[in-house]
């Protein structure tokens, strides 16, 4: 009797897990496809000697972090720590100091805060919470002041792409503050920020002959951000 009850319980548990897995696949199949494409692209470029091991690690870690952010926060947090270190080393080695400092000094230590916040029950972007007129003005003023100040610093330390680096880094910082405040403006700003970062690394790649790994990495981020934005828009209309 007990054996039959145990078998029934196991069977029901497996059925529930299969149902959940099917639902997850149905909801996230586009993210899975993008993740697999990124992993295949990274391994292919590594085999062709177009990226080194650190570059491959960045692509793999970024793909895993993006995919598991919505399903396994702890694993995603570990991937994010390693990803920030790899990205910081690559960007610093290319003298793109804004992005290097952004990931090592800002993104890396804030991962614990992000992990704590995302484990709360109410951590979604609010569909009715938006910046006031003063909030818009303050955000724009702070953006240009920070970008201008950072640009001067990057110019002084010898960043060859200091203007784009300063603008891109500041946009990404602004998007972080918006998501922490759960403002609906986060998604358009984040899409623009990741798209601008993709353009920046593409330009750097064209001019230097390197940066293939970082271009793929930020393109991956941009694609995930667009998909998240579309999902949020659909959710907010319900």
């Amino acid at each position: 009797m007990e054996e039959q009850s145990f078998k029934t319980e196991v069977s029901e548990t497996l059925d529930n897990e299969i149902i959940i897995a099917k639902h997850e696949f149905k909801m996230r199949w586009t993210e899975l496809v993008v993740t697999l494409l990124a992993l295949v692209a990274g391994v292919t470029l590594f085999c062709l000697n177009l990226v080194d091991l650190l570059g491959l690690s960045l692509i793999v870690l970024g793909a895993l972090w993006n995919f598991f952010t919505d399903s396994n926060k702890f694993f995603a947090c570990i991937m994010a720590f390693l990803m920030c270190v790899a990205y910081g080393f690559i960007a610093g080695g290319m003298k793109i100091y804004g992005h290097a400092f952004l990931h090592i000094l800002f993104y890396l230590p804030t991962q614990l805060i992000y992990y704590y916040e995302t484990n709360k029950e109410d951590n979604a972007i609010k569909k009715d919470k938006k910046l006031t007129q003063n909030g818009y003005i303050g955000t724009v003023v702070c953006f240009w002041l920070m970008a201008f100040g950072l640009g001067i610093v990057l110019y002084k330390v010898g960043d060859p792409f200091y203007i784009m680096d300063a603008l891109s880094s500041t946009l990404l910082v602004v998007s972080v503050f918006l998501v922490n405040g759960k403002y609906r403006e986060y998604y358009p700003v984040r899409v623009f920020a990741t798209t601008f970062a993709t353009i920046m690394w593409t330009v750097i790649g064209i001019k230097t002959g390197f940066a293939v790994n970082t271009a793929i990495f930020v393109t991956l981020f941009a694609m995930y951000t667009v998909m998240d934005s579309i999902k949020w828009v659909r959710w907010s209309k319900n």
Side-chain angles (χ1 to χ4, degrees):
M1 191 70 177
E2 289 183 0
E3 183 179 352
Q4 183 63 33
S5 176
F6 175 74
K7 288 182 178 180
T8 302
E9 184 178 348
V10 170
S11 177
E12 290 177 353
T13 301
L14 288 174
D15 289 341
N16 289 334
E17 289 295 325
I18 292 172
I19 292 172
I20 292 173
K22 287 181 178 178
H23 177 72
E24 281 286 314
F25 180 78
K26 183 179 179 181
M27 294 294 293
R28 305 188 64 201
W29 69 268
T30 52
E31 297 173 40
L32 179 61
V33 169
V34 172
T35 301
L36 292 175
L37 287 175
L39 294 175
V40 170
V43 173
T44 302
L45 291 171
F46 178 74
C47 293
L48 295 174
N49 293 320
L50 294 175
V51 299
D52 58 11
L53 184 59
L54 185 60
L56 174 62
S57 300
L58 177 65
I59 295 171
V60 172
L61 292 169
L64 293 176
W65 175 74
N66 272 292
F67 183 76
F68 284 103
T69 294
D70 291 332
S71 57
N72 191 319
K73 299 293 190 296
F74 181 71
F75 183 74
C77 186
I78 295 174
M79 294 298 101
F81 269 107
L82 299 174
M83 176 192 70
C84 287
V85 173
Y87 190 101
F89 271 108
I90 292 173
M94 298 183 66
K95 297 184 178 180
I96 311 300
Y97 295 122
H99 270 243
F101 294 152
L102 175 70
H103 283 74
I104 296 296
L105 301 179
F106 185 71
Y107 280 156
L108 187 61
T110 56
Q111 285 308 309
L112 291 176
I113 299 174
Y114 175 77
Y115 175 71
Y116 172 75
E117 289 293 328
T118 52
N119 274 290
K120 292 181 178 179
E121 291 185 4
D122 186 22
N123 69 327
I125 302 295
K126 308 295 184 183
K127 58 183 178 181
D128 298 322
K129 187 175 182 180
K130 57 183 180 179
L131 292 172
T132 62
Q133 184 177 5
N134 290 336
Y136 273 110
I137 295 173
T139 301
V140 171
V141 170
C142 289
F143 166 78
W144 285 111
L145 287 175
M146 182 177 176
F148 180 74
L150 181 59
I152 293 175
V153 173
L154 296 178
Y155 173 76
K156 293 290 186 181
V157 298
D159 188 329
F161 301 93
Y162 63 94
I163 296 178
M164 287 193 299
D165 195 6
L167 291 173
S168 179
S169 298
T170 306
L171 278 170
L172 291 169
V173 169
V174 170
S175 72
V176 170
F177 282 107
L178 289 175
V179 72
N180 287 337
K182 299 179 177 61
Y183 290 103
R184 60 183 300 164
E185 288 82 3
Y186 160 73
Y187 283 109
V189 171
R190 184 69 179 180
V191 169
F192 183 74
T194 52
T195 302
F196 188 86
T198 301
I199 295 171
M200 182 191 79
W201 281 110
T202 302
V203 170
I204 293 172
I206 293 172
K207 291 190 174 184
T208 64
F210 299 101
V212 175
N213 45 15
T214 42
I216 293 175
F217 176 75
V218 293
T219 300
L220 180 67
F221 265 64
M223 294 175 70
Y224 273 116
T225 301
V226 170
M227 288 187 288
D228 283 343
S229 301
I230 293 172
K231 286 194 297 184
W232 183 84
V233 170
R234 289 176 178 172
W235 169 80
S236 65
K237 288 181 179 180
N238 294 329

